Amino acid sequence: MRSEPRKISLSEKVAMDIGRQILAGVLKPGDKLPSLREYARLNGYSKNTVISAFDLLGERALVEAQHGKGFFVRGVEAPPERDIDEEPVGYSRVIDTLWLMRQQAIREPGRSHLAEGFPPVDWLTYMRLDRFHRQVARSGTGSLFRYGNRYGYLPLRQQLIRRMAMHGMELGPRQLVTTFGANHALDLIIRRYVAPGDTVLVEQPGYYPLFGKLQLQGARSIAITRRVDGPDLAEFEAALQTSKARVFFMQTTAHNPTGTDVSPEVGKRLLELAAAHNVLIVENDAMADFKPNSAFRLSSLSQFKNTLYVGSFSKSVSAALRSGFIAGENAHVEELADLKMLLHIGSSEYGERVLEAILREGNFLRHVGRLQDRVRAATAEGLEVLQRLDATVYATPEQSLYLWARFEGIDDTRLLTSRLLSRGVVLAPGAFFNVDTEQVSPWTRLNVAYLNDSVFIDSIREELDQLPAMA
């Protein structure tokens, strides 16, 4: 005779429901459960039922009672959280630009993240963002429930103006509009100043997400070779004479991917040519905090005549804050502020208040100093590693988050990347930094913070040792 299933009591059902939430990570260690009275009222149970359920959870070591305080979730062994939207990509997947962008969101233990676009988290944790969140939450609560100014939170803009003055740039509050980071800034500029079918000038190798944005807009990009001291002036002048390009996108300092800086001589000539041909230069300086304030910037020389300056704190403070800005002449910035309002109504005043508090505190300058010390040491160490591997390095900057290198006998780093994925090594193939991503490239962008990684070094050596057999 088949036995009847055991009837589950209401208190056990309540305990099972809460237990599933704890094991699934919805309720985390240290979280306080609602009081007995409150839980009973919210769910329509008797107080005795809830007392019995909480007692069962205590017996199963899922919660603990703290006298006079209530019930709290205990620490339990659970599998590490994974972002289900960013599962590791299979080795057979096509390696393309979107693949590289997805890699920036994957954090896998044991992987060698040479393709990483950001500094390691432990370089940034000194800022202790939790302190500033608490500070913001205690002040200005009345305005945190409303849309902010289309230009951005005024005290933050005032702090940014002081920062720009350290770079030799003079501007007023209406010459600066805040954004959700540098990529949002580029989106706004492209929407306003690049129409479908327009010809634009870009650096090659250059910032690969920019190429995708321009392609999406329907623009035609002409590549200007990035030399060690900046864009190739002969190519730039020729492109201006033979095309109707009116916008040039470039980076002045800590160029992504080569790590190079524009020399004052090249920068001065770029501005002369831009003025002669009425071209707007978009200066993306997202890596500003990784370089000294004295580093050359086009907008410091031009004072925003024919230039727009893009800044960001994603890599120096936190990408999660999504804070950046555009600086330029009043007319340009007003148009961009209107466009920002039309598309997004406003930026996050909460996030901007957090950033303003960070910039206002003296610790930020010390943080930037530590950040530059770390990147300087990592650059020197990375150059030594590449020298031991007999790699050719495009440029040898004193401090840069990126180095642009190639390995003897390796002609296609897209194929190299595919082979190294099975060993847990992720590279950024050079082809992705070209306008034509199908163009074969022997170069790769390497993050200096991860260059002295034994898995990467051993994997490259194995590849180089196998070259005679593969030939």
Side-chain angles (χ1 to χ4, degrees):
M1 179 184 293
R2 192 168 64 183
S3 61
E4 292 294 320
R6 182 176 71 87
K7 188 175 181 179
I8 299 175
S9 67
L10 185 56
S11 58
E12 187 165 351
K13 179 181 179 297
V14 172
M16 289 173 62
D17 289 343
I18 297 174
R20 276 195 292 268
Q21 294 181 59
I22 294 172
L23 294 174
V26 177
L27 293 173
K28 302 184 184 302
D31 283 355
K32 183 181 179 181
L33 298 183
S35 69
L36 298 173
R37 188 186 303 276
E38 184 180 9
Y39 196 94
R41 181 179 61 81
L42 290 173
N43 294 280
Y45 301 135
S46 70
K47 186 176 178 181
N48 287 337
T49 295
V50 179
I51 290 173
S52 297
F54 281 24
D55 285 343
L56 285 171
L57 290 168
E59 292 172 7
R60 295 166 187 173
L62 294 176
V63 304
E64 60 182 351
Q66 296 183 16
H67 183 68
K69 295 182 178 180
F71 288 85
F72 293 81
V73 177
R74 296 185 60 177
V76 293
E77 288 295 325
E81 291 186 22
R82 294 185 64 166
D83 187 342
I84 59 174
D85 292 327
E86 297 297 348
E87 289 293 326
V89 180
Y91 304 137
S92 61
R93 190 192 189 284
V94 175
I95 304 214
D96 56 18
T97 301
L98 289 176
W99 170 87
L100 183 57
M101 295 185 75
R102 290 189 184 103
Q103 295 305 303
Q104 308 305 309
I106 297 175
R107 297 294 177 273
E108 285 260 303
R111 288 165 71 94
S112 183
H113 290 278
L114 274 298
E116 175 69 76
F118 292 87
V121 171
D122 62 358
W123 287 20
L124 305 178
T125 50
Y126 169 79
M127 288 307 302
R128 287 291 310 278
L129 293 183
D130 56 313
R131 292 188 297 113
F132 298 103
H133 282 292
R134 288 196 296 269
Q135 181 178 331
V136 169
R138 289 195 301 264
S139 63
T141 54
S143 63
L144 290 179
F145 297 93
R146 310 288 296 179
Y147 293 127
N149 187 294
R150 64 188 174 124
Y151 284 93
Y153 183 49
L154 178 58
L156 172 60
R157 284 186 283 138
Q158 291 169 336
Q159 287 291 336
L160 293 173
I161 288 169
R162 295 187 187 99
R163 292 281 298 159
M164 294 301 97
M166 296 180 185
H167 300 321
M169 303 178 202
E170 298 179 5
L171 66 162
R174 295 175 70 88
Q175 285 183 262
L176 189 147
V177 59
T178 60
T179 65
F180 294 111
N183 273 289
H184 178 222
L186 293 173
D187 283 337
L188 291 175
I189 292 168
I190 290 170
R191 279 177 177 259
R192 172 59 188 89
Y193 298 108
V194 180
D198 280 0
T199 297
V200 298
L201 306 182
V202 297
E203 295 180 296
Q204 181 171 289
Y207 185 52
Y208 68 95
L210 170 67
F211 301 155
K213 297 176 193 298
L214 291 169
Q215 185 178 11
L216 193 65
Q217 183 72 358
R220 171 177 171 261
S221 296
I222 296 179
I224 307 299
T225 303
R226 175 71 180 219
R227 305 293 182 192
V228 174
D229 59 351
D232 186 294
L233 289 174
E235 292 181 14
F236 182 61
E237 186 169 9
L240 292 177
Q241 293 172 347
T242 58
S243 74
K244 296 181 180 180
R246 288 294 173 264
V247 184
F248 176 38
F249 293 88
M250 63 167 294
Q251 300 164 73
T252 308
T253 63
H255 178 257
N256 182 359
T258 66
T260 57
D261 301 326
V262 172
S263 70
E265 295 75 20
V266 169
K268 182 179 179 181
R269 183 57 181 157
L270 283 172
L271 290 173
E272 291 172 350
L273 291 169
H277 293 270
N278 193 29
V279 167
L280 178 66
I281 298 180
V282 179
E283 181 180 19
N284 181 0
D285 198 17
M287 307 296 293
D289 289 331
F290 291 79
K291 289 287 184 176
N293 290 332
S294 58
F296 174 77
R297 273 118 178 150
L298 285 179
S299 296
S300 300
L301 183 60
S302 71
Q303 293 302 317
F304 308 107
K305 177 69 175 176
N306 294 106
T307 64
L308 282 173
Y309 180 90
V310 173
S312 172
F313 294 89
S314 293
K315 292 181 172 64
S316 60
V317 178
S318 170
L321 279 179
R322 309 307 303 135
S323 289
F325 62 93
I326 305 169
E329 291 185 327
N330 289 69
H332 287 314
V333 173
E334 183 175 9
E335 290 177 338
L336 293 167
D338 284 343
L339 182 58
K340 169 189 164 184
M341 182 174 63
L342 182 64
L343 294 172
H344 309 289
I345 299 183
S347 42
S348 168
E349 182 164 322
Y350 183 90
E352 291 182 0
R353 281 175 176 266
V354 172
L355 182 59
E356 188 274 333
I358 290 171
L359 297 181
R360 178 166 26 90
E361 188 177 273
N363 281 341
F364 178 72
L365 294 180
R366 287 192 287 274
H367 165 68
V368 169
R370 287 187 178 95
L371 193 61
Q372 292 189 19
D373 288 343
R374 281 186 150 178
V375 77
R376 192 179 300 111
T379 302
E381 188 176 48
L383 288 169
E384 290 178 6
V385 169
L386 292 173
Q387 185 177 23
R388 294 199 301 270
L389 293 171
D390 294 323
T392 299
V393 182
Y394 190 73
T396 56
E398 182 181 353
Q399 57 192 81
S400 172
L401 191 61
Y402 312 118
L403 292 175
W404 188 239
R406 59 180 297 178
F407 302 97
E408 187 175 356
I410 303 293
D411 298 319
D412 187 348
T413 46
R414 196 195 303 255
L415 295 178
L416 175 66
T417 300
S418 295
R419 293 195 296 269
L420 293 187
L421 275 176
S422 61
R423 304 175 198 175
V425 177
V426 184
L427 298 182
F432 298 167
F433 300 89
N434 292 335
V435 172
D436 178 8
T437 58
E438 296 303 313
Q439 184 179 349
V440 175
S441 172
W443 297 92
T444 182
R445 187 195 71 182
L446 301 167
N447 187 316
V448 297
Y450 304 100
L451 262 172
N452 197 20
D453 178 86
S454 60
V455 176
F456 162 71
I457 295 170
D458 292 344
S459 298
I460 290 294
R461 281 179 172 154
E462 288 176 22
E463 284 287 327
L464 297 178
D465 290 342
Q466 292 173 12
L467 283 176
M470 296 169 61

